[in-house]
Amino acid sequence: MDCALVSVIVPIYNIENYLPRCCESIAAQSFEDIEVLLVDDGSTDNSASVARLWASRDNRFSVIPRDNGGLAEARNIGLEHAHGEWIMAVDGDDFLPLHAIERLWANVSNDVDVVVGQWQLFDDGTEPIENTVSSATLTMSGSDALDSILYQDGHVNGSVCARLIRRSLFDTVRFPAGRLYEDLAVAPSLYGNARQVTIIGDTVYYYRQHRPGSILNVFTASRADVLDILEQIEAQCDERHRPAVEARLMAAAFNLWRLAPRGDEFDALRVRCREIIKRVRTRCIGNGKVRLRDRVAAIGSYLLM
């Protein structure tokens, strides 16, 4: 597999009911020059058996077993074993449409380091509703793409899924172990070093929501990782990106303040959210790139906080 152009990294943890469809959708891709790295993150169900079955069926698939360490570390292990010039991340409970990699690959060029496609959300237990609307292709600098992620303007989201990423961008970048929002943590390095980013209108990824057992289905203290990550980005960013970082930080603080259950366990988190909002809201209100709903919330916060 040394000549594989695209390395597809699939972290696996206790998803035996979803993994067959994920693997089937990757194996059936119209773009065939791939290797598929199934990283079994210490599953306690039959996921590893499913993965080994696919590896026995298709020599492009390989299984990498490891002790449980979380999604970020599983992706890092995949990166260590990847041979391709391009990386594609696919979560094992999601799946791809038939021409996903082909349509992304059609937009690869010497100056483009990331090609981003669209994803279709669907609830667990349902099927994706096909979206036939395809917007025009858009190319921007890596710096502008990072702003798009932080402002959440709809062009580029912070996930590493539904895109091809040039392998060299990961040469000095790894996902932070044991943290939620690990994709957001690496965004400044990935997009800060990308020359150009192309966004296509084609749906290339089906993203499953509300799966039983998903870590995002229950509110825990780990959700505050997003504040830690954004404040670290804020401390390290240049002035060019600071307004965008503040916008994302305020949006995250509002979201956590709204979602955190009432009670002693999350009182400190709610206080932290209020302090962040108070610190950045004036500048965010005056920043026309901040989402309107966040600016309205910031204005309202003067009455509530």
Side-chain angles (χ1 to χ4, degrees), residues 6 28 36 47 56 58 62 64 102-103 109 131 136 147 181 195 199 205 207 230 236 258-259 261 265 270:
V6 177
V36 187
S47 295
S56 70
D58 190 327
S62 60
I64 306 170
E102 179 183 356
R103 288 172 179 169
S109 69
N131 181 4
D147 271 350
Y181 307 96
R195 291 166 297 174
I199 303 101
Y205 196 92
Y207 181 89
L230 285 167
Q236 297 172 348
R258 178 178 59 86
L259 292 176
E265 182 181 0
R270 293 175 64 84

mmCIF file of all heavy atoms in Angstrom, residues 6 28 36 47 56 58 62 64 102-103 109 131 136 147 181 195 199 205 207 230 236 258-259 261 265 270:
data_model
loop_
_atom_site.group_PDB
_atom_site.id
_atom_site.type_symbol
_atom_site.label_atom_id
_atom_site.label_comp_id
_atom_site.label_asym_id
_atom_site.label_seq_id
_atom_site.Cartn_x
_atom_site.Cartn_y
_atom_site.Cartn_z
ATOM 1 N N VAL A 6 -4.641 8.154 -0.973
ATOM 2 C CA VAL A 6 -5.490 8.646 0.117
ATOM 3 C C VAL A 6 -5.507 7.618 1.244
ATOM 4 O O VAL A 6 -5.853 6.451 1.030
ATOM 5 C CB VAL A 6 -6.934 8.913 -0.362
ATOM 6 C CG1 VAL A 6 -7.819 9.344 0.815
ATOM 7 C CG2 VAL A 6 -6.944 9.978 -1.452
ATOM 8 N N ALA A 28 -16.614 0.653 -1.414
ATOM 9 C CA ALA A 28 -17.341 0.831 -2.680
ATOM 10 C C ALA A 28 -16.998 2.139 -3.385
ATOM 11 O O ALA A 28 -17.560 2.413 -4.459
ATOM 12 C CB ALA A 28 -18.844 0.769 -2.415
ATOM 13 N N VAL A 36 -7.137 1.910 3.951
ATOM 14 C CA VAL A 36 -8.120 2.142 5.007
ATOM 15 C C VAL A 36 -7.545 1.610 6.313
ATOM 16 O O VAL A 36 -7.293 0.405 6.438
ATOM 17 C CB VAL A 36 -9.471 1.465 4.691
ATOM 18 C CG1 VAL A 36 -10.509 1.880 5.728
ATOM 19 C CG2 VAL A 36 -9.937 1.823 3.282
ATOM 20 N N SER A 47 -16.657 -5.151 17.509
ATOM 21 C CA SER A 47 -16.136 -4.242 16.482
ATOM 22 C C SER A 47 -14.831 -4.748 15.880
ATOM 23 O O SER A 47 -14.610 -4.656 14.662
ATOM 24 C CB SER A 47 -15.928 -2.847 17.070
ATOM 25 O OG SER A 47 -17.147 -2.258 17.459
ATOM 26 N N SER A 56 -9.792 -8.984 5.871
ATOM 27 C CA SER A 56 -9.614 -10.251 5.153
ATOM 28 C C SER A 56 -10.271 -10.218 3.779
ATOM 29 O O SER A 56 -9.871 -10.947 2.870
ATOM 30 C CB SER A 56 -10.186 -11.411 5.986
ATOM 31 O OG SER A 56 -11.611 -11.360 6.042
ATOM 32 N N ASP A 58 -10.669 -7.306 1.830
ATOM 33 C CA ASP A 58 -10.161 -6.241 0.961
ATOM 34 C C ASP A 58 -8.758 -5.880 1.435
ATOM 35 O O ASP A 58 -8.582 -5.396 2.561
ATOM 36 C CB ASP A 58 -11.096 -5.022 1.049
ATOM 37 C CG ASP A 58 -10.786 -3.960 0.006
ATOM 38 O OD1 ASP A 58 -9.599 -3.788 -0.345
ATOM 39 O OD2 ASP A 58 -11.725 -3.258 -0.436
ATOM 40 N N SER A 62 -6.653 -2.440 6.708
ATOM 41 C CA SER A 62 -5.819 -3.039 7.744
ATOM 42 C C SER A 62 -6.362 -2.634 9.105
ATOM 43 O O SER A 62 -6.993 -1.579 9.253
ATOM 44 C CB SER A 62 -4.354 -2.606 7.606
ATOM 45 O OG SER A 62 -4.229 -1.205 7.714
ATOM 46 N N ILE A 64 -5.580 -1.837 13.148
ATOM 47 C CA ILE A 64 -4.552 -1.444 14.107
ATOM 48 C C ILE A 64 -5.176 -1.510 15.496
ATOM 49 O O ILE A 64 -5.954 -0.630 15.879
ATOM 50 C CB ILE A 64 -4.032 -0.025 13.823
ATOM 51 C CG1 ILE A 64 -3.565 0.101 12.375
ATOM 52 C CG2 ILE A 64 -2.912 0.341 14.796
ATOM 53 C CD1 ILE A 64 -3.255 1.513 11.944
ATOM 54 N N GLU A 102 -13.835 10.631 -4.908
ATOM 55 C CA GLU A 102 -13.619 11.057 -6.292
ATOM 56 C C GLU A 102 -13.926 12.539 -6.473
ATOM 57 O O GLU A 102 -13.172 13.270 -7.136
ATOM 58 C CB GLU A 102 -14.498 10.225 -7.221
ATOM 59 C CG GLU A 102 -14.365 10.601 -8.695
ATOM 60 C CD GLU A 102 -15.301 9.809 -9.587
ATOM 61 O OE1 GLU A 102 -15.996 8.906 -9.076
ATOM 62 O OE2 GLU A 102 -15.350 10.106 -10.791
ATOM 63 N N ARG A 103 -15.020 12.994 -5.885
ATOM 64 C CA ARG A 103 -15.402 14.399 -6.054
ATOM 65 C C ARG A 103 -14.464 15.328 -5.301
ATOM 66 O O ARG A 103 -14.184 16.444 -5.759
ATOM 67 C CB ARG A 103 -16.849 14.579 -5.612
ATOM 68 C CG ARG A 103 -17.816 13.965 -6.615
ATOM 69 C CD ARG A 103 -19.239 13.937 -6.162
ATOM 70 N NE ARG A 103 -20.093 13.355 -7.204
ATOM 71 C CZ ARG A 103 -21.342 13.003 -7.036
ATOM 72 N NH1 ARG A 103 -21.914 13.149 -5.839
ATOM 73 N NH2 ARG A 103 -22.039 12.481 -8.030
ATOM 74 N N SER A 109 -5.125 20.162 -6.353
ATOM 75 C CA SER A 109 -4.149 20.775 -7.251
ATOM 76 C C SER A 109 -2.880 21.049 -6.462
ATOM 77 O O SER A 109 -2.832 20.853 -5.243
ATOM 78 C CB SER A 109 -4.699 22.077 -7.857
ATOM 79 O OG SER A 109 -4.817 23.075 -6.860
ATOM 80 N N ASN A 131 -29.573 15.680 -0.415
ATOM 81 C CA ASN A 131 -29.611 17.100 -0.746
ATOM 82 C C ASN A 131 -29.053 17.272 -2.146
ATOM 83 O O ASN A 131 -27.867 17.054 -2.391
ATOM 84 C CB ASN A 131 -28.777 17.886 0.271
ATOM 85 C CG ASN A 131 -28.787 19.379 -0.001
ATOM 86 O OD1 ASN A 131 -29.466 19.848 -0.895
ATOM 87 N ND2 ASN A 131 -28.020 20.121 0.778
ATOM 88 N N ALA A 136 -21.663 26.617 -5.598
ATOM 89 C CA ALA A 136 -20.471 26.790 -6.416
ATOM 90 C C ALA A 136 -19.209 26.498 -5.611
ATOM 91 O O ALA A 136 -19.172 26.641 -4.390
ATOM 92 C CB ALA A 136 -20.433 28.222 -6.958
ATOM 93 N N ASP A 147 -10.467 31.686 9.717
ATOM 94 C CA ASP A 147 -11.465 32.673 10.150
ATOM 95 C C ASP A 147 -12.879 32.141 9.963
ATOM 96 O O ASP A 147 -13.750 32.334 10.809
ATOM 97 C CB ASP A 147 -11.300 33.981 9.366
ATOM 98 C CG ASP A 147 -10.317 34.946 10.027
ATOM 99 O OD1 ASP A 147 -9.905 34.686 11.173
ATOM 100 O OD2 ASP A 147 -9.976 35.956 9.386
ATOM 101 N N TYR A 181 -13.411 18.158 21.363
ATOM 102 C CA TYR A 181 -13.147 19.263 20.422
ATOM 103 C C TYR A 181 -11.704 19.222 19.914
ATOM 104 O O TYR A 181 -11.084 20.254 19.685
ATOM 105 C CB TYR A 181 -13.461 20.616 21.074
ATOM 106 C CG TYR A 181 -14.847 20.692 21.655
ATOM 107 C CD1 TYR A 181 -15.060 20.445 23.019
ATOM 108 C CD2 TYR A 181 -15.948 20.955 20.868
ATOM 109 C CE1 TYR A 181 -16.335 20.489 23.562
ATOM 110 C CE2 TYR A 181 -17.230 21.000 21.402
ATOM 111 C CZ TYR A 181 -17.413 20.760 22.751
ATOM 112 O OH TYR A 181 -18.676 20.788 23.287
ATOM 113 N N ARG A 195 -1.891 26.493 2.185
ATOM 114 C CA ARG A 195 -1.798 27.580 1.208
ATOM 115 C C ARG A 195 -3.189 27.972 0.718
ATOM 116 O O ARG A 195 -3.602 29.130 0.859
ATOM 117 C CB ARG A 195 -0.913 27.152 0.047
ATOM 118 C CG ARG A 195 0.558 26.995 0.418
ATOM 119 C CD ARG A 195 1.319 26.243 -0.649
ATOM 120 N NE ARG A 195 0.820 24.871 -0.800
ATOM 121 C CZ ARG A 195 1.237 24.034 -1.752
ATOM 122 N NH1 ARG A 195 2.115 24.434 -2.653
ATOM 123 N NH2 ARG A 195 0.742 22.804 -1.810
ATOM 124 N N ILE A 199 -13.516 24.633 -1.215
ATOM 125 C CA ILE A 199 -14.784 24.125 -0.679
ATOM 126 C C ILE A 199 -15.687 23.787 -1.857
ATOM 127 O O ILE A 199 -15.927 24.634 -2.732
ATOM 128 C CB ILE A 199 -15.466 25.159 0.230
ATOM 129 C CG1 ILE A 199 -14.541 25.563 1.374
ATOM 130 C CG2 ILE A 199 -16.773 24.616 0.773
ATOM 131 C CD1 ILE A 199 -13.840 26.889 1.166
ATOM 132 N N TYR A 205 -20.264 13.190 2.840
ATOM 133 C CA TYR A 205 -20.186 12.563 4.166
ATOM 134 C C TYR A 205 -21.564 12.547 4.796
ATOM 135 O O TYR A 205 -22.287 13.555 4.763
ATOM 136 C CB TYR A 205 -19.229 13.377 5.046
ATOM 137 C CG TYR A 205 -18.731 12.689 6.297
ATOM 138 C CD1 TYR A 205 -17.541 11.975 6.289
ATOM 139 C CD2 TYR A 205 -19.429 12.770 7.492
ATOM 140 C CE1 TYR A 205 -17.064 11.359 7.441
ATOM 141 C CE2 TYR A 205 -18.963 12.151 8.635
ATOM 142 C CZ TYR A 205 -17.782 11.450 8.606
ATOM 143 O OH TYR A 205 -17.308 10.842 9.744
ATOM 144 N N TYR A 207 -23.268 12.161 8.355
ATOM 145 C CA TYR A 207 -22.890 12.293 9.773
ATOM 146 C C TYR A 207 -24.056 11.908 10.664
ATOM 147 O O TYR A 207 -25.108 12.542 10.646
ATOM 148 C CB TYR A 207 -22.458 13.738 10.055
ATOM 149 C CG TYR A 207 -22.024 14.011 11.470
ATOM 150 C CD1 TYR A 207 -20.691 13.835 11.849
ATOM 151 C CD2 TYR A 207 -22.936 14.446 12.427
ATOM 152 C CE1 TYR A 207 -20.288 14.085 13.145
ATOM 153 C CE2 TYR A 207 -22.532 14.698 13.731
ATOM 154 C CZ TYR A 207 -21.214 14.518 14.076
ATOM 155 O OH TYR A 207 -20.820 14.767 15.366
ATOM 156 N N LEU A 230 -10.015 27.069 23.151
ATOM 157 C CA LEU A 230 -10.135 28.392 22.538
ATOM 158 C C LEU A 230 -9.310 29.435 23.276
ATOM 159 O O LEU A 230 -8.725 30.336 22.651
ATOM 160 C CB LEU A 230 -11.609 28.810 22.484
ATOM 161 C CG LEU A 230 -12.433 28.094 21.415
ATOM 162 C CD1 LEU A 230 -13.922 28.314 21.644
ATOM 163 C CD2 LEU A 230 -12.036 28.561 20.019
ATOM 164 N N GLN A 236 -2.226 32.322 21.822
ATOM 165 C CA GLN A 236 -1.146 32.095 20.873
ATOM 166 C C GLN A 236 -1.366 32.755 19.511
ATOM 167 O O GLN A 236 -0.431 32.829 18.710
ATOM 168 C CB GLN A 236 -0.955 30.585 20.668
ATOM 169 C CG GLN A 236 -0.543 29.852 21.934
ATOM 170 C CD GLN A 236 -0.539 28.337 21.759
ATOM 171 O OE1 GLN A 236 -1.048 27.811 20.766
ATOM 172 N NE2 GLN A 236 0.026 27.628 22.723
ATOM 173 N N ARG A 258 -25.898 28.031 28.503
ATOM 174 C CA ARG A 258 -27.283 27.637 28.262
ATOM 175 C C ARG A 258 -27.520 26.155 28.560
ATOM 176 O O ARG A 258 -28.557 25.777 29.113
ATOM 177 C CB ARG A 258 -27.645 27.937 26.800
ATOM 178 C CG ARG A 258 -29.050 27.528 26.394
ATOM 179 C CD ARG A 258 -29.324 27.918 24.961
ATOM 180 N NE ARG A 258 -28.405 27.314 24.034
ATOM 181 C CZ ARG A 258 -28.564 26.104 23.500
ATOM 182 N NH1 ARG A 258 -29.624 25.360 23.834
ATOM 183 N NH2 ARG A 258 -27.689 25.623 22.640
ATOM 184 N N LEU A 259 -26.559 25.318 28.219
ATOM 185 C CA LEU A 259 -26.751 23.871 28.317
ATOM 186 C C LEU A 259 -26.419 23.291 29.681
ATOM 187 O O LEU A 259 -26.948 22.235 30.052
ATOM 188 C CB LEU A 259 -25.888 23.155 27.267
ATOM 189 C CG LEU A 259 -26.274 23.357 25.796
ATOM 190 C CD1 LEU A 259 -25.260 22.649 24.905
ATOM 191 C CD2 LEU A 259 -27.678 22.841 25.517
ATOM 192 N N PRO A 261 -26.460 22.028 33.208
ATOM 193 C CA PRO A 261 -27.559 21.838 34.170
ATOM 194 C C PRO A 261 -27.376 22.729 35.393
ATOM 195 O O PRO A 261 -26.250 23.011 35.821
ATOM 196 C CB PRO A 261 -27.435 20.350 34.551
ATOM 197 C CG PRO A 261 -26.691 19.722 33.413
ATOM 198 C CD PRO A 261 -25.749 20.767 32.917
ATOM 199 N N GLU A 265 -22.709 21.306 40.758
ATOM 200 C CA GLU A 265 -21.669 20.659 39.956
ATOM 201 C C GLU A 265 -21.162 21.556 38.841
ATOM 202 O O GLU A 265 -19.971 21.517 38.489
ATOM 203 C CB GLU A 265 -22.203 19.356 39.371
ATOM 204 C CG GLU A 265 -21.177 18.593 38.557
ATOM 205 C CD GLU A 265 -21.721 17.303 37.966
ATOM 206 O OE1 GLU A 265 -22.928 17.006 38.208
ATOM 207 O OE2 GLU A 265 -20.969 16.599 37.276
ATOM 208 N N ARG A 270 -20.538 27.815 34.866
ATOM 209 C CA ARG A 270 -21.431 28.900 34.474
ATOM 210 C C ARG A 270 -20.808 30.251 34.818
ATOM 211 O O ARG A 270 -20.925 31.217 34.043
ATOM 212 C CB ARG A 270 -22.789 28.733 35.160
ATOM 213 C CG ARG A 270 -23.564 27.506 34.665
ATOM 214 C CD ARG A 270 -24.847 27.288 35.455
ATOM 215 N NE ARG A 270 -25.773 28.386 35.266
ATOM 216 C CZ ARG A 270 -26.607 28.495 34.254
ATOM 217 N NH1 ARG A 270 -26.638 27.571 33.317
ATOM 218 N NH2 ARG A 270 -27.427 29.518 34.154
#
